[in-house]
Amino acid sequence: GRDTGSCAALVKELSLIREEEVYRIDHYLGKELVMNLLVLRFANVAFQAIWNRQYIKSVQVIFKEDFGIAARGGYFDQYGIIRDVMQNHLLQVMALVAMEQPLSFEAEHIRAEKLKVLHSCAPVTLNDLVVGQYTAAGDKLGYLEEASITNKESRTETFAAAVLHVHNPRWDGVPFVLKAGKALTDRKAEVRIQFHRVPGVVSALKNCASNELVVRLQPEETIYWKVQNKVPGLGFEVQQMRMDLMYASRYEKKLPEAYERLLLEVLAGNQSNFVSAVELEASWQIFTPILHQLEEQEVVPEAYTYGSRGP
């Protein structure tokens, strides 16, 4: 769908089929590192203890591509990056990061906890949103210059950054920043969890950077933990280092493709990694008001150069 209303209409059309027989695929839920989020969180006591507002300063869920829309303009210009990536893929990943521990890893229990997170999020407002559109750089065409874009005055966003607020005791005051964009510096999707600085630290350590946990979803699937470490030697110098779990070097087996895994789960009748109708409705309720406002007010996206970090 395009918003809450169109989503409800599509769900109604499918109502002749029982909900437990409907498998709504969001391929991000089939990615190895996304599926590992629940294990990382709930099987490691160290993370369980610090996974809250007392220790976490901010959470970012990031999607970046280093290429433009190419031949997809006919589709993309009708939807934009918020509908294409943010409202579905990134919001689902965010819900897995923020949810409470489910009673089990059965579909009904995982979905129930994700739904609580979505219902705790207020709708996005213009004050918490930046949208952009890429322009030409060198031999790279700008969005409006792409051959597949017929509306040369299009205000469709190719970049968006939105701050979501989860209003519950665990996350009150912690900004969840969703970023998605095309024609940026590089290609990757990742979750970055930044922690507060150490309180009352001694003067020799006052310039140390904050700890950060990064889960790289693609490419080069990796989990790494940024920690402070003394540089070896006779002097005293502290440097931030990475503690890595690189899947390519640690595991010899090839990781299954997301769609491959999800199609196998359809055959097995397992709905744990599929999106329910009520989740869809709750997701659209977060973004529909701002999407309508962008269109009705004809908000002009900020220009950013192809290959840059965005507006």
Side-chain angles (χ1 to χ4, degrees):
R2 291 179 51 81
D3 54 20
T4 306
S6 59
C7 175
L10 289 170
V11 169
K12 185 177 180 180
E13 288 184 16
L14 288 173
S15 61
L16 295 176
I17 306 172
R18 291 184 302 168
E19 177 66 16
E20 58 267 27
E21 296 176 331
V22 178
Y23 293 81
R24 300 176 185 85
I25 291 181
D26 182 325
H27 73 280
Y28 264 59
L29 295 181
K31 290 184 179 293
E32 185 67 37
L33 270 292
V34 174
M35 299 182 74
N36 193 34
L37 284 171
L38 298 187
V39 177
L40 185 71
R41 285 194 56 193
F42 301 124
N44 295 288
V45 68
F47 290 137
Q48 278 193 322
I50 61 176
W51 213 265
N52 55 59
R53 61 190 295 269
Q54 279 76 33
Y55 294 95
I56 292 179
K57 180 180 179 180
S58 67
V59 178
Q60 296 186 59
V61 186
I62 301 167
F63 169 90
K64 299 171 65 179
E65 288 182 336
D66 57 0
F67 51 88
I69 51 95
R72 294 182 67 222
Y75 158 78
F76 190 88
D77 202 45
Q78 301 300 313
Y79 285 85
I81 200 73
I82 295 177
R83 290 184 173 97
D84 190 40
V85 176
M86 186 175 288
Q87 176 274 335
N88 39 51
H89 305 328
L90 301 193
L91 194 58
Q92 281 290 317
V93 173
M94 176 196 138
L96 291 172
V97 172
M99 63 183 263
E100 299 296 321
Q101 178 174 295
L103 294 175
S104 75
F105 283 171
E106 296 297 319
E108 61 178 313
H109 296 144
I110 292 176
R111 288 171 165 183
E113 296 304 331
K114 286 195 294 178
L115 189 61
K116 290 177 185 177
V117 173
L118 298 175
H119 282 163
S120 298
C121 292
V124 177
T125 66
L126 274 180
N127 290 333
D128 288 325
L129 179 70
V130 174
V131 292
Q133 187 182 93
Y134 67 85
T135 58
D139 61 347
K140 301 295 186 181
L141 297 176
Y143 179 75
L144 299 179
E145 297 164 343
E146 299 277 6
S148 57
I149 299 297
T150 56
N151 178 11
K152 299 305 181 181
E153 296 182 354
S154 173
R155 289 175 176 165
T156 299
E157 78 287 351
T158 61
F159 173 96
V163 181
L164 274 66
H165 305 277
V166 181
H167 298 290
N168 64 24
R170 181 185 291 273
W171 297 114
D172 185 48
V174 177
F176 283 78
V177 183
L178 308 187
K179 294 181 182 178
K182 293 183 174 293
L184 298 175
T185 52
D186 55 351
R187 173 183 173 268
K188 64 183 175 184
E190 62 186 14
V191 180
R192 305 186 74 94
I193 299 169
Q194 188 176 58
F195 292 82
H196 290 294
R197 296 174 67 87
V198 177
V201 69
V202 298
S203 59
L205 301 175
K206 66 180 180 179
N207 294 321
C208 288
S210 301
N211 295 126
E212 191 172 27
L213 177 66
V214 180
V215 180
R216 175 74 51 77
L217 310 179
Q218 67 179 33
E220 300 178 352
E221 291 86 350
T222 308
I223 300 172
Y224 63 88
W225 177 241
K226 289 184 174 182
V227 298
Q228 313 309 319
N229 184 67
K230 179 186 176 295
V231 177
L234 297 176
F236 186 84
E237 180 185 355
V238 179
Q239 186 178 53
Q240 190 171 68
M241 304 293 290
R242 281 174 46 162
M243 298 173 62
D244 282 292
L245 169 57
M246 296 190 67
Y247 274 54
S249 58
R250 178 62 180 85
Y251 300 106
E252 294 182 0
K253 64 175 64 177
K254 179 181 179 294
L255 299 181
E257 296 292 334
Y259 283 108
E260 175 186 0
R261 185 198 304 276
L262 293 175
L263 290 174
L264 284 172
E265 292 190 353
V266 171
L267 295 176
N270 179 10
Q271 291 192 317
S272 298
N273 297 305
F274 296 85
V275 182
S276 67
V278 287
E279 284 180 81
L280 278 178
E281 180 185 7
S283 299
W284 279 118
Q285 286 174 348
I286 295 171
F287 283 99
T288 291
I290 193 62
L291 286 167
H292 286 179
Q293 188 175 359
L294 290 173
E295 293 166 357
E296 292 165 3
Q297 297 185 8
E298 298 183 339
V299 175
V300 178
E302 298 285 337
Y304 66 95
T305 305
Y306 195 120
S308 68
R309 297 181 61 184

